[in-house]
Amino acid sequence: MSTDTKDTPSVSPEDVELAETFKNEANEYFKKQSYNAAIELYTKAIEKNPNVPVYYSNRSFAYLKTECFGYALNDATKSIELDPTYVKGFYRRADAHMSMGKWKLAQKDYEYVTKVRPNDKDAKLKLNECSKVVKKLAFEKAISVEDKKKFIADTINLDAMTIEDNYSGPQLEDGKVTEQFMKELMQLYKDQGTLHRKFAFKILLDIKKYFMAQPSLVDVTIPDKEKFTVCGDIHGQFYDLMNIFELNGLPSKTNPYLFNGDFVDRGSFSVECIFTLFGYKLLYPDHFYMSRGNHESATMNQMYGFDGEVKFKYNAQMAELFTEVYNWLPLAHCLNKRVLVMHGGLFSRDDVTLDEIRTIERNRQPPDEGPMCELLWSDPQPQDGRAPSKRGVGCQFGPDVTHAFIKLNKLDYIIRSHEVKDSGYEVAHEGRCITVFSAPNYCDTMGNKGAFINLTGESMVPKYIVYDAVPHPDVRPMMYSTNSLMYRLC
């Protein structure tokens, strides 16, 4: 380890020893997947001895596990500053860049890792993945001509798709989704069957046409006595989605739902989740709503499993079609002109209005900044003001920002998702900012509850229903992902 002692603070032998104790305790918590506890202990180690690259690298790893990619990047960079030859610092920084979709920067760091450690198979795998994506993006940029772009949806020929005699799954009736079709589809998925590609493509083509006609901000009217349910992230946990319907009833004209983004990725039953949700959207278009999440994007899908899952269960053509469909998902919903629901959160500016959200041109991949980015990526913080995002994208916003926004737009409160919460939900900012997360025991590791929110149109007072994870077939999360984040601790 090479550090410049002139630039590092002196540390007493007692603090050196205590820092090592904190680090070792943190490692044990990390191994038990108690990542937040590990982060707290790594932080204590750093406070006692800020000169050790390993402490920052290990905390970076824990931040990666909790999806705080911005914090992970900062820690990895700090470890490299302390020791410019520290290979695990480059590895962590590469993982952080890759997780944020910064492929060229990740590629550069993985190149360093593989040069120093030529036998590191995981680093080679990730370097190859980054190189492929960088080449693909360069090729697409070179050949792109916007006014001549041909959409995948325009190339689909449903008539050429034959239904094999041995297919026994559900079939659309006159090309339409019916209540019976949905019941048969969910049973098919529970039995680990696959919907025929012809019907899958038809659902995607129909849903794309529907979403294209929708505004970026959808206004929803809830009658006074009617129940309305808001669900947070599902993340490919199909059997937990089925449990929501068991607890709260199937979607219907008298039992409307809003699913608030991140339907896919992480969990390895994302295909089953998204076709169930899209099917209900087509069946009850005015009583079933879906908002875009940050994981409804090409970069996230490539990183966290959905792209690989679609290619495994169907083909690459369908994976590209999903990207086209996701580009048209609404960005937010306003319930009874009183509650704004978005996946991420609020903005880096104080003057954003509902009318501005309505005018966002959303038919694109999420940008790195601006209102569309922040709707998908931002997070609340307990202190007033704003701060750079722990994720490296969007911003963090305090209670004063929330209060100013709801006052400007004459709202009661906001509902957002996007973050794992131990209880499945969290009420913050004096009740004005509610987080709901509906994927219990996220990634089969986090041990959190799931939750959804019931409202009635008259009061709009949230009622929280909390539940545990249910068993699922023995298919691990991230089964189809190329991003393993496997490098061990020190």
Side-chain angles (χ1 to χ4, degrees):
M1 185 185 301
S2 60
T3 58
D4 188 344
T5 56
K6 293 184 294 184
D7 297 327
T8 57
S10 60
V11 180
S12 69
E14 292 80 9
D15 281 346
V16 168
E17 184 177 352
L18 189 55
E20 274 295 296
T21 300
F22 284 138
K23 185 262 286 187
N24 292 333
E25 289 179 9
N27 287 354
E28 292 305 311
Y29 276 103
F30 188 100
K31 292 172 186 176
K32 292 185 287 188
Q33 300 173 340
S34 299
Y35 302 120
N36 289 325
I39 288 168
E40 290 181 11
L41 286 163
Y42 289 135
T43 301
K44 288 182 178 181
I46 289 167
E47 289 169 350
K48 291 297 179 183
N49 186 358
N51 305 328
V52 182
V54 168
Y55 301 165
Y56 296 94
S57 175
N58 285 4
R59 190 172 69 173
S60 176
F61 198 6
Y63 278 136
L64 285 166
K65 290 292 189 178
T66 58
E67 303 185 12
C68 297
F69 306 130
Y71 288 175
L73 178 61
N74 292 340
D75 273 355
T77 301
K78 179 63 177 179
S79 73
I80 295 169
E81 290 173 358
L82 288 170
D83 180 359
T85 67
Y86 185 52
V87 66
K88 285 190 179 178
F90 285 93
Y91 199 102
R92 298 281 183 255
R93 191 168 70 177
D95 278 344
H97 280 140
M98 190 175 181
S99 297
M100 296 162 65
K102 297 180 179 180
W103 302 99
K104 283 187 177 180
L105 294 173
Q107 181 185 31
K108 183 178 179 181
D109 283 338
Y110 285 134
E111 284 173 349
Y112 176 83
V113 174
T114 55
K115 182 179 179 180
V116 175
R117 297 193 172 181
N119 296 323
D120 190 323
K121 294 181 180 180
D122 191 55
K124 282 184 178 179
L125 177 67
K126 291 178 179 178
L127 174 59
N128 289 337
E129 180 68 20
C130 283
S131 299
K132 288 179 185 177
V133 174
V134 169
K135 289 178 182 178
K136 179 183 177 184
L137 293 175
F139 176 75
E140 289 174 349
K141 184 177 181 180
I143 66 170
S144 65
V145 181
E146 283 299 320
D147 59 349
K148 292 184 178 180
K149 182 175 180 180
K150 192 169 187 178
F151 293 103
I152 293 296
D154 298 330
T155 70
I156 306 299
N157 183 0
L158 294 175
D159 293 333
M161 298 181 191
T162 58
I163 301 173
E164 296 78 9
D165 291 339
N166 63 350
Y167 175 71
S168 59
Q171 303 198 28
L172 298 174
E173 296 182 20
D174 297 324
K176 301 294 184 183
V177 173
T178 63
E179 185 177 344
Q180 183 62 30
F181 173 85
M182 289 307 302
K183 290 180 179 179
E184 292 178 6
L185 178 65
M186 289 184 289
Q187 187 59 53
L188 175 78
Y189 286 155
K190 290 175 185 177
D191 296 336
Q192 301 184 67
T194 302
L195 180 66
H196 194 279
R197 65 189 182 283
K198 182 169 186 173
F199 304 128
F201 272 110
K202 181 66 164 65
I203 286 172
L204 289 177
L205 294 175
D206 287 352
I207 204 71
K208 182 186 178 187
K209 289 179 183 177
Y210 181 88
F211 284 137
M212 287 175 69
Q214 296 298 293
S216 291
L217 172 60
V218 176
D219 289 289
V220 179
T221 300
I222 307 170
D224 284 350
K225 304 300 181 183
E226 184 173 285
K227 181 182 79 172
F228 188 89
T229 300
V230 180
C231 296
D233 303 41
I234 297 298
H235 274 301
Q237 297 184 196
F238 173 75
Y239 295 86
D240 293 307
L241 173 61
M242 293 297 97
N243 189 41
I244 292 173
F245 292 158
E246 284 286 330
L247 296 171
N248 197 57
L250 290 174
S252 69
K253 292 181 179 179
T254 58
N255 193 26
Y257 280 83
L258 164 57
F259 281 84
N260 195 29
D262 281 13
F263 321 116
V264 300
D265 279 339
R266 297 289 191 177
S268 295
F269 303 96
S270 292
V271 164
E272 291 79 358
C273 285
I274 196 62
F275 278 119
T276 299
L277 297 175
F278 279 169
Y280 271 120
K281 179 61 182 173
L282 291 172
L283 181 58
Y284 302 117
D286 298 324
H287 300 86
F288 193 92
Y289 302 92
M290 299 175 69
S291 294
R292 189 175 189 173
N294 63 300
H295 276 265
E296 278 68 60
S297 72
T299 298
M300 292 291 107
N301 292 165
Q302 189 159 19
M303 285 290 300
Y304 295 104
F306 182 63
D307 183 77
E309 183 180 343
V310 175
K311 290 175 180 176
F312 179 81
K313 295 177 178 178
Y314 290 99
N315 56 34
Q317 184 184 40
M318 183 178 288
E320 292 186 49
L321 180 56
F322 266 110
T323 298
E324 289 183 9
V325 173
Y326 290 160
N327 282 350
W328 286 106
L329 279 163
L331 302 177
H333 292 76
C334 191
L335 312 180
N336 280 4
K337 300 181 180 180
R338 295 172 61 182
V339 178
L340 184 68
V341 186
M342 79 292 276
H343 180 73
L346 296 180
F347 310 96
S348 55
R349 294 181 5 237
D350 285 327
D351 59 347
V352 177
T353 63
L354 298 185
D355 284 340
E356 180 177 347
I357 297 172
R358 289 187 175 93
T359 64
I360 293 175
E361 294 292 337
R362 70 183 188 278
N363 180 26
R364 53 181 167 152
Q365 288 300 288
D368 291 332
E369 59 185 7
M372 179 174 171
C373 166
E374 291 158 353
L375 281 166
L376 302 181
W377 277 98
S378 290
D379 295 294
Q381 63 180 20
Q383 66 273 25
D384 280 348
R386 295 181 175 88
S389 172
K390 61 188 177 184
R391 302 174 189 268
V393 187
C395 71
Q396 292 179 203
F397 58 96
D400 57 331
V401 175
T402 298
H403 283 276
F405 178 80
I406 63 176
K407 181 178 180 181
L408 176 65
N409 290 284
K410 299 180 174 62
L411 298 169
D412 292 352
Y413 58 91
I414 64 171
I415 297 175
R416 40 91 61 183
S417 301
H418 193 40
E419 286 185 287
V420 181
K421 298 298 177 183
D422 288 342
S423 299
Y425 72 96
E426 181 179 77
V427 181
H429 298 180
E430 294 81 43
R432 302 301 185 181
C433 178
I434 297 169
T435 298
V436 59
F437 191 86
S438 300
N441 195 25
Y442 180 47
C443 291
D444 286 357
T445 62
M446 299 302 288
N448 60 291
K449 305 282 189 181
F452 54 83
I453 297 172
N454 285 158
L455 304 165
T456 56
E458 187 174 27
S459 71
M460 297 299 287
V461 174
K463 177 184 177 183
Y464 307 100
I465 292 82
V466 176
Y467 51 92
D468 292 311
V470 297
H472 63 74
D474 188 17
V475 181
R476 62 177 174 82
M478 303 277 283
M479 174 71 179
Y480 306 98
S481 171
T482 59
N483 180 26
S484 56
L485 296 178
M486 288 171 55
Y487 224 61
R488 64 182 182 271
L489 293 167
C490 290

